[in-house]
Amino acid sequence: MATTPSPAARSLFALDALYFILADVRGGLGPFLAVYLASVHGWDPGRVGAALALLGVADLAAQTPAGALSDATTHKRSLIALAFGVIAAGAL
């Protein structure tokens, strides 16, 4: 039986830093989006809440297929870059 080599400490630190930054971006995006939609576009609180709820449902629905894709691919760095690009495009 072949053994899988354990990742280097530097790789694990980089992955931890990546998750920390991504969690910070995701955590700050929701409140910013709520204020933006209410103040700039004049949305009422019900519409803002519905949009944020839809965002949460879409996030939940995408987690399993995204996890399966990241497990199946050998191009993990490209997948991470693509995910950051999608987040940046959505924020713009």
Side-chain angles (χ1 to χ4, degrees):
M1 178 183 279
T3 61
T4 305
S6 60
R10 182 175 167 181
S11 294
L12 291 175
F13 178 76
L15 191 59
D16 286 342
L18 176 74
Y19 285 147
F20 180 79
I21 292 168
L22 186 58
D24 187 39
V25 169
R26 286 185 61 206
L29 194 59
F32 173 78
L33 181 62
V35 171
Y36 173 76
L37 291 174
S39 63
V40 174
H41 292 287
W43 285 23
D44 62 276
R47 284 182 70 188
V48 172
L52 292 179
L54 184 63
L55 181 64
V57 169
D59 184 33
L60 182 65
Q63 283 182 6
T64 300
L69 176 63
S70 81
D71 288 343
T73 188
T74 58
H75 304 288
K76 295 188 189 315
R77 288 183 183 173
S78 299
L79 189 62
I80 290 171
L82 177 67
F84 270 101
V86 168
I87 291 170
L92 291 175

